[in-house]
Amino acid sequence: MRYAITAFFAVAVLSSAAIGSTLAATDTDGDGLTDATENTLGTDPNDPDIDDDGIPDDVETTRPDGTGPGEAVDTDGDGTIDALGADSDGDGITDTDEVALGTAPRDADSDRDDINDTVETTRPDGTGPGEIVDTDGDGTIDALDTDSDGDGTDDTNEGTGDNDGDGTPDYRDDADEDDPDGDLDGDGLAAIDEVNKLSTVREGSY
């Protein structure tokens, strides 16, 4: 009788462990994260994309080095993990819009030209961010184009300054020196100064 009772309890313990293991391994929404992990992260075991940004939870809880899924990844360090945040990289463009644009939801500067995606997806009239802006019309939006104005000089080198003072930033201006304040011949004198200098010389020649 003693052996029967001992055997019964042994079976009960093993069954309980098996049930616990099964529950721990359950992935109700099939997103690659166990329900237990989702409960720990604060995501929803019944929703594979809790923040509805078009990026599955398993992707947003996987680190850049491939560790995951199930990691508490917080790209912009704002205290909200990517799987629950509307703007993972904190660049002012929602992850939903980044997916639509083709930019990187976890990189505030998708083309690595030192100009933030927020700036490159804002139109000259100020509309944005999150707009499809393609300055040179080559089919690649500025936020993914290393030479937005197609002038042969990389955006990294041109930057957001306005060399000729015409109101258009250099990286979007294919003629950075064509206004009065520009220096077309690269001699250190603005065009307006060259005109004034020439006028002075002519006047002095009479």
Side-chain angles (χ1 to χ4, degrees), residues 51 53 55-62 73 82-83 88 95 106:
D51 56 4
D53 60 0
I55 308 172
D57 293 343
D58 64 317
V59 174
E60 294 196 285
T61 60
T62 297
V73 182
D82 293 358
S88 296
D95 293 349
R106 286 184 175 178

Side-chain angles (χ1 to χ4, degrees), residues 18-121:
I19 292 173
S21 177
T22 299
L23 290 175
T26 299
D27 178 11
T28 302
D29 56 12
D31 62 358
L33 304 175
T34 65
D35 292 359
T37 298
E38 298 228 42
N39 288 328
T40 299
L41 290 171
T43 51
D44 187 346
N46 298 297
D47 188 342
D49 181 13
I50 182 61
D51 56 4
D52 295 321
D53 60 0
I55 308 172
D57 293 343
D58 64 317
V59 174
E60 294 196 285
T61 60
T62 297
R63 299 189 185 282
D65 65 6
T67 305
E71 299 291 308
V73 182
D74 179 9
T75 299
D76 58 6
D78 67 351
T80 300
I81 64 172
D82 293 358
L84 295 172
D87 179 12
S88 296
D89 55 13
D91 63 357
I93 308 170
T94 65
D95 293 349
T96 302
D97 285 343
E98 296 230 39
V99 170
L101 289 168
T103 51
R106 286 184 175 178
D107 192 337
D109 181 12
S110 296
D111 56 6
R112 301 300 179 87
D113 61 358
D114 297 326
I115 304 174
N116 195 287
D117 290 346
T118 304
V119 175
E120 294 196 282
T121 61

Side-chain angles (χ1 to χ4, degrees), residues 174-194:
D174 61 1
D176 303 333
E177 306 288 353
D178 64 351
D179 269 35
D181 293 328
D183 178 14
L184 282 171
D185 56 11
D187 64 355
L189 291 175
I192 187 64
D193 293 331
E194 297 218 40

